[in-house]
Amino acid sequence: MRVLTGFSGWLAALFLLGFVGSAFVWAVENAILSLAVGAVMILGAYTILRHAANEFVEHLALALSLAGQVLVFWGLFRINTPGWSASTWLWIALLELALTWWMPSFVHRVFSTFLAAGALSTAFMQMHVPYVIDSVLLLAMAWIWLHLFRYPRQLARLRAVGYGLALALIPLKGSVLFQAGGTGWRAQPFQVESWLQPWMAELLTVAVMIYVVWQLLQRYQYDSGDRFSLLVLAATLLIALFSLEAPGLATALVILLLGFAVGNRVLLGLGIAALLFFISSYYYLLDITLLAKAGHLLLIGLALLMLRWLAARYLFNKGTTDVA
Amino acid sequence: MGSNQRFIIKLVEQGYILPQKLEQALTVSGVYPDSHAWHKFIDHLFLWLGGLALAFAVLFFVAYNWSELGRLFRFALVEVLVIAAIVGYWKLGTERMAAKVALLGGTIGLGVLLALYGQTYQTGADPWQLFFNWSLLILPWVLVGRFAPLWLLWLALVNLSVMLYFTAFPGAFGLLLPRDTGMYWTLFLLNTLALVLWEWAATRWSFMDRRWAIRLVALASGYTITWLALISIVEGALTDRSGLVAGMIWLLWLASLGGVYRYRIRDLFMLTGGSLSVIVVVTTFLARHMLEGDPVGAFLFLAVVVMAGGSGSLIWLKRLHREWQS
């Protein structure tokens, strides 16, 4: 149902934009005016949402806000020279963060978080600091889902941000994957030289994975020094290190793990979708030969099956009786 | 776990659960999984990931086309793996998850074997034949396997061979089907038939009663008929016979979907999909006829129509949801 809300809001926004574009051509041609008209539309949407009494009005506000945002982006691109500079993207990210915080609508918040994450990632790439920001966003997502219930007053906000980040991370991590092969839409307009490499981001992702598992162990009141915890952490490290060779795999695993840990089926489904997406795009990664990929997958497969056997034999029949 | 989570979220938001009792509430209500659930999850995760990684490793290895590696060795490798997977399925006990993963691995392996055969002997066969033969050969396993994902894989292969067949012969079945939309009609008929049969099978065999799989099949059916309706609108073909037929069948499909999933099998996902289809088709129809005249008024009108459609559907769906719950 939320997909329906999002889709019809987005479609209505397109028509609304067509209306604004054709009725106020003079405004759209002027950067300051389109900024102003866009801002008024967003403010209008905010006011409507605060007092929204029914579904129709909520849809109207969503469409109005989306159309307003496009006008503001358009103004920002025209004011900044060159338009695709880091500062434009930072402004967009800032605007979307503010909307995430203030707009009282779940769908709007998910959407704004998604855009904010994309804009932030692009801005950092423009500043010659690529890849790593995506892993920082992954850490933020993990933290939110693990501590979701700790802030009851912010629950609605945090859930929306958690979903928005998970949705954004799948294409973001995917684009890095394609970029490593020299293709991908984000690589084309601005090939950046940087000392940062994709594997550094993957290493950070490994750290996030270990953080998630460590936090979960704490939730079930395991000491970080006992045998069970050490074994679980060692196994996690092993899986994470193996997955380094197949980019994106660790990200998908983190989403999957969080989905299960917080009992959220949507997140679990997103994790599975991400996993399939990353594995199939791995086939097209151009840097390494199919033979090397086959070797990596063989290692990962054998390691996982061996870990499963070891876990069933040594871990679960002793360690978990005192959990829960 | 989904409904429990929503319930707990409501309680938390309304302040009924004290912060210090929250962890306990989450564990007791089953939102946070217990040790047994974790054990099962990790077991299945490792099994699926490990099994699929191995199957894909073989696929990539064969696709690499290593010239120093003899033809015989490559065939032997894939054949041994397929046989090992099937023996594994048999030995592990057919109802265990490990056995099902082995069967799925064997199924992928068979496809790799067929591809290798085509690649080695340059049979000159069309790509559609590979997928069609693959789906034919695995049919016995699919029947025996009693496993919904395997049926889904089978259906995906048949879909793929239909698509590739029409890519090779665009005007196929020219007497029966319209030339340019023949592929979509075939896919629509195939997936709708599959949906009807699957719903019937779900009432007979519990292993087929997987809503997520049925919804995927329904998605394929709905996507193709919506697309056909859109084509007939955009091409202005509503006036000719084939366009009119597309419109009528779309309406019929919509009515059946609504009737079945509103009254017989309660499924909000299907009704939401139907609503989306209505919004898209109606908007396209109006846009096609209105945007040619005064675009300014038309844009505003269309925006209002979409918002009304979206909110109207949402109100209806929410009311249904409440009605079903009470």
Side-chain angles (χ1 to χ4, degrees):
Chain A
M1 278 200 254
R2 273 167 179 156
V3 174
L4 180 94
T5 309
F7 176 78
S8 51
W10 166 82
L11 195 62
L14 270 186
F15 288 124
L16 220 52
L17 261 180
F19 167 69
V20 175
S22 48
F24 305 98
V25 184
W26 46 273
V28 177
E29 278 175 358
N30 183 316
I32 301 289
L33 267 180
S34 57
L35 270 179
V37 173
V40 168
M41 284 166 85
I42 294 173
L43 268 176
Y46 171 74
T47 319
I48 296 172
L49 277 175
R50 284 214 57 172
H51 305 98
N54 62 51
E55 305 283 351
F56 179 78
V57 175
E58 216 177 315
H59 270 81
L60 172 78
L62 197 64
L64 199 65
S65 170
L66 292 181
Q69 285 171 55
V70 175
L71 277 180
V72 170
F73 298 166
W74 173 244
L76 284 172
F77 276 121
R78 295 197 59 166
I79 283 180
N80 280 312
T81 42
W84 295 88
S85 62
S87 66
T88 312
W89 290 108
L90 277 180
W91 276 112
I92 290 177
L94 219 60
L95 171 72
E96 293 302 329
L97 278 178
L99 291 179
T100 305
W101 183 261
W102 275 297
M103 280 289 179
S105 151
F106 178 82
V107 175
H108 198 303
R109 280 180 172 145
V110 172
F111 189 79
S112 289
T113 309
F114 180 87
L115 284 186
L120 208 62
S121 172
T122 314
F124 272 84
M125 188 175 302
Q126 293 282 50
M127 294 188 284
H128 298 242
V129 193
Y131 318 119
V132 174
I133 183 73
D134 300 342
S135 297
V136 176
L137 291 174
L138 185 73
L139 179 66
M141 185 200 69
W143 186 89
I144 284 173
W145 284 111
L146 287 169
H147 299 89
L148 189 65
F149 293 102
R150 197 171 284 180
Y151 306 95
R153 282 163 179 271
Q154 305 299 340
L155 197 63
R157 275 197 186 96
L158 287 178
R159 279 182 73 228
V161 175
Y163 280 124
L165 282 176
L167 280 171
L169 277 165
I170 298 170
L172 283 178
K173 282 282 183 183
S175 73
V176 169
L177 186 65
F178 289 123
Q179 222 163 10
T183 53
W185 64 275
R186 287 206 310 168
Q188 296 304 335
F190 24 78
Q191 287 281 3
V192 284
E193 290 289 321
S194 173
W195 56 273
L196 280 162
Q197 295 298 320
W199 61 263
M200 296 179 187
E202 285 299 314
L203 215 58
L204 251 175
T205 308
V206 169
V208 175
M209 201 173 182
I210 290 174
Y211 163 76
V212 170
V213 172
W214 176 64
Q215 283 282 309
L216 288 175
L217 284 168
Q218 299 239 311
R219 185 205 276 175
Y220 292 100
Q221 284 153 6
Y222 278 102
D223 276 337
S224 36
D226 71 12
R227 181 174 160 272
F228 182 79
S229 303
L230 285 178
L231 281 175
V232 170
L233 285 170
T236 311
L237 184 67
L238 193 69
I239 294 169
L241 287 178
F242 269 123
S243 68
L244 269 184
E245 285 297 339
L249 188 63
T251 305
L253 282 177
V254 168
I255 298 177
L256 202 71
L257 200 60
L258 286 170
F260 187 76
V262 298
N264 187 320
R265 274 189 205 156
V266 179
L267 204 58
L268 202 63
L270 272 179
I272 293 173
L275 203 64
L276 292 174
F277 170 66
F278 289 133
I279 287 183
S280 48
S281 43
Y282 182 53
Y283 185 84
Y284 296 102
L285 191 67
L286 299 174
D287 281 17
I288 39 178
T289 63
L290 276 171
L291 186 66
K293 287 181 204 170
H296 294 155
L297 285 176
L298 184 73
L299 275 180
I300 293 174
L302 288 177
L304 283 169
L305 291 180
M306 200 183 71
L307 279 175
R308 172 175 179 262
W309 182 76
L310 286 174
R313 205 176 163 85
Y314 298 107
L315 216 53
F316 287 118
N317 58 357
K318 290 177 189 168
T320 46
T321 40
D322 49 331
V323 178
Chain B
M1 57 190 179
S3 56
N4 273 354
Q5 199 201 31
R6 268 191 291 276
F7 184 61
I8 293 277
I9 285 173
K10 264 193 192 141
L11 291 180
V12 170
E13 279 176 334
Q14 289 162 358
Y16 287 120
I17 298 178
L18 291 173
Q20 59 268 34
K21 294 278 179 193
L22 196 60
E23 291 278 317
Q24 206 181 341
L26 289 164
T27 312
V28 173
S29 61
V31 171
Y32 283 177
D34 60 10
S35 67
H36 179 70
W38 270 111
H39 184 177
K40 205 171 143 192
F41 171 72
I42 289 170
D43 193 65
H44 283 184
L45 181 72
F46 283 9
L47 183 65
W48 275 104
L49 271 182
L52 285 180
L54 288 185
F56 277 101
V58 177
L59 178 79
F60 285 18
F61 183 72
V62 172
Y64 178 64
N65 198 8
W66 202 357
S67 53
E68 288 125 65
L69 210 66
R71 169 187 300 185
L72 195 69
F73 178 78
R74 272 188 287 168
F75 271 108
L77 175 79
V78 183
E79 280 164 8
V80 163
L81 280 169
V82 172
I83 293 168
I86 299 305
V87 170
Y89 169 71
W90 176 47
K91 285 280 175 197
L92 282 165
T94 51
E95 285 309 309
R96 280 175 60 186
M97 189 55 87
K100 311 234 178 219
V101 173
L103 193 62
L104 197 65
T107 309
I108 296 173
L110 194 66
V112 176
L113 187 64
L114 287 176
L116 182 63
Y117 181 76
Q119 182 198 55
T120 313
Y121 296 107
Q122 295 295 324
T123 52
D126 284 325
W128 73 270
Q129 282 171 312
L130 165 70
F131 293 99
F132 186 70
N133 290 338
W134 187 358
S135 68
L136 269 189
L137 286 173
I138 62 168
L139 195 56
W141 303 355
V142 177
L143 283 168
V144 172
R146 298 168 65 83
F147 190 39
L150 210 55
W151 272 107
L152 212 55
L153 178 71
W154 181 80
L155 190 62
L157 286 177
V158 178
N159 266 287
L160 200 59
S161 24
V162 169
M163 281 187 235
L164 291 170
Y165 183 80
F166 276 93
T167 317
F169 310 103
F173 311 113
L175 287 176
L176 281 172
L177 296 165
R179 196 181 154 77
D180 44 350
T181 50
M183 181 180 90
Y184 294 108
W185 279 115
T186 315
L187 289 176
F188 168 66
L189 292 174
L190 168 73
N191 289 306
T192 309
L193 184 70
L195 177 63
V196 173
L197 288 176
W198 201 313
E199 284 289 10
W200 170 78
T203 58
R204 285 196 60 143
W205 297 290
S206 63
F207 72 90
M208 288 301 268
D209 192 14
R210 297 281 176 275
R211 286 320 294 176
W212 63 270
I214 300 176
R215 286 168 181 173
L216 274 180
V217 181
L219 216 56
S221 157
Y223 174 78
T224 43
I225 190 63
T226 307
W227 192 243
L228 282 165
L230 290 184
I231 290 176
S232 64
I233 291 170
V234 173
E235 289 181 349
L238 272 183
T239 41
D240 74 19
R241 217 181 61 193
S242 66
L244 211 60
V245 169
M248 298 297 278
I249 293 186
W250 175 71
L251 278 175
L252 195 70
W253 172 83
L254 208 62
S256 327
L257 186 92
V260 170
Y261 293 108
R262 163 80 176 83
Y263 297 106
R264 288 184 72 101
I265 308 159
R266 293 174 168 185
D267 195 326
L268 223 47
F269 177 89
M270 306 289 195
L271 298 176
T272 312
S275 308
L276 256 180
S277 176
V278 173
I279 293 173
V280 172
V281 170
V282 170
T283 313
T284 312
F285 179 77
L286 291 174
R288 170 82 174 74
H289 291 94
M290 289 181 70
L291 285 178
E292 286 166 354
D294 161 39
V296 179
F299 274 129
L300 193 62
F301 179 74
L302 285 170
V304 173
V305 167
V306 174
M307 285 185 279
S311 50
S313 321
L314 215 60
I315 291 169
W316 176 61
L317 291 165
K318 278 188 177 170
R319 193 181 298 158
L320 266 186
H321 185 58
R322 272 197 300 273
E323 189 186 309
W324 288 348
Q325 276 193 328
S326 60

